[in-house]
Amino acid sequence: MSIGNVMSVINSSLNDLNRAQSSQAESIKRIATGTKYYSPANGASEYAIVQRIYNNIGSVTQSNSNTQTTNAMLNVAAGAVSNTINSLSSLKQTLISAANGTNSNSDVAALQESVNQTLSQIDSNAQITYNGQSLLDGSQSIQVSSDNGYETINLGDMSTAGLGLTDSEGNSNITLGDLSDLGTAIDTVDSALNTALDQATTIGAAQKGLEYQSANYTTMEENLYEAVSTIDDTDIAAESVNNASANAQSQVALWAVKQGMQALSKEVGSLGELYTHNPNAAYNLLS
């Protein structure tokens, strides 16, 4: 066999070795990453599809998180409004009790103190905050951001001033000194109660909508993960077989290279000896 033939065999074996090692390296990456398309080189269009799906998953996940945190904020507001509704119901009972003609002056004074305390409690309810933001002082509009855009939830002024129970200077519109004014005071409390009930209804409807949205986002996440898993998840069993096969091919190719190098070494040694005695024969061996 000529040196040229030996080199041809070695080069062919090296090419086989490189292909086997490249295949093994790719198989190992797929097993390690768990993905078939870890770079565009593994399939440009499939890689692009997978990345778009992951982008959509990120948007849906954040949208779901936004709906849940907004619902948590509304839970706080709903609790405060519920307390205000209870306070207004108690206030109306106090007014009805005060309207009874059996009350002494001291009874009326005690009832007035109860009215004042109730009004103070309603203002405390209105000062409730979430994450440093006032919820029920009339300044809050909650903006819920999602991949579909924005949704705004308006919260009203649940303070005594906002409910018409006190004037602009904070003076109470409900006094028990004149029984003839109690009917007007009861109407004022009824109006405040209706406003509070409307606010509770608004918050409840918004929360129910957010719960539906969150459930939809959760379903979307599951479907997107299932889709990307179908496209991109590595078949570990199959890749393990590919890895073993590539490793075996690599070992065979490496053995062939070693054998070729040994043959080349012998041919080069023989060439040196032959050249000393017969240069033409040595030249023919190189061809």
Side-chain angles (χ1 to χ4, degrees), residues 104-274:
S104 65
N105 290 337
S106 60
D107 291 333
V108 172
L111 291 171
Q112 182 65 61
E113 179 60 27
S114 176
V115 168
N116 294 340
Q117 290 178 355
T118 302
L119 293 177
S120 178
Q121 180 59 52
I122 290 173
D123 276 331
S124 294
N125 295 338
Q127 293 170 7
I128 196 73
T129 63
Y130 181 91
N131 199 25
Q133 301 180 70
S134 297
L135 299 183
L136 297 173
D137 63 355
S139 65
Q140 187 61 255
S141 278
I142 304 174
Q143 195 172 65
V144 188
S145 173
S146 72
D147 61 341
N148 294 322
Y150 296 92
E151 177 184 352
T152 301
I153 303 171
N154 294 317
L155 298 178
D157 186 353
M158 291 289 103
S159 67
T160 54
L163 293 171
L165 301 173
T166 58
D167 60 24
S168 58
E169 297 179 357
N171 300 315
S172 175
N173 292 331
I174 301 175
T175 57
L176 306 182
D178 188 349
L179 292 179
S180 63
D181 293 335
L182 288 178
T184 300
I186 290 174
D187 289 341
T188 299
V189 172
D190 281 339
S191 177
L193 182 59
N194 288 334
T195 300
L197 288 171
D198 286 344
Q199 180 67 90
T201 301
T202 298
I203 293 174
Q207 286 190 289
K208 182 58 65 177
L210 290 173
E211 288 174 3
Y212 285 138
Q213 288 182 26
S214 180
N216 288 337
Y217 286 137
T218 298
T219 301
M220 288 174 64
E221 282 183 274
E222 292 172 353
N223 290 337
L224 287 169
Y225 273 118
E226 183 176 346
V228 78
S229 176
T230 300
I231 297 170
D232 193 41
D233 278 4
T234 298
D235 185 335
I236 300 298
E239 284 303 329
S240 296
V241 172
N242 291 338
N243 180 47
S245 176
N247 182 59
Q249 293 173 23
S250 177
Q251 295 301 318
V252 170
L254 182 61
W255 177 85
V257 170
K258 290 180 178 179
Q259 292 296 109
M261 294 301 294
Q262 290 176 2
L264 178 63
S265 177
K266 291 179 180 179
E267 291 293 338
V268 170
S270 298
L271 178 64
E273 294 178 2
L274 181 60

Side-chain angles (χ1 to χ4, degrees), residues 11-30:
N11 288 334
S12 177
S13 298
L14 285 172
N15 288 335
D16 291 342
L17 178 62
N18 288 334
R19 282 192 294 269
Q21 288 181 337
S22 177
S23 177
Q24 186 177 13
E26 183 173 322
S27 183
I28 290 173
K29 283 184 180 179
R30 285 177 172 172

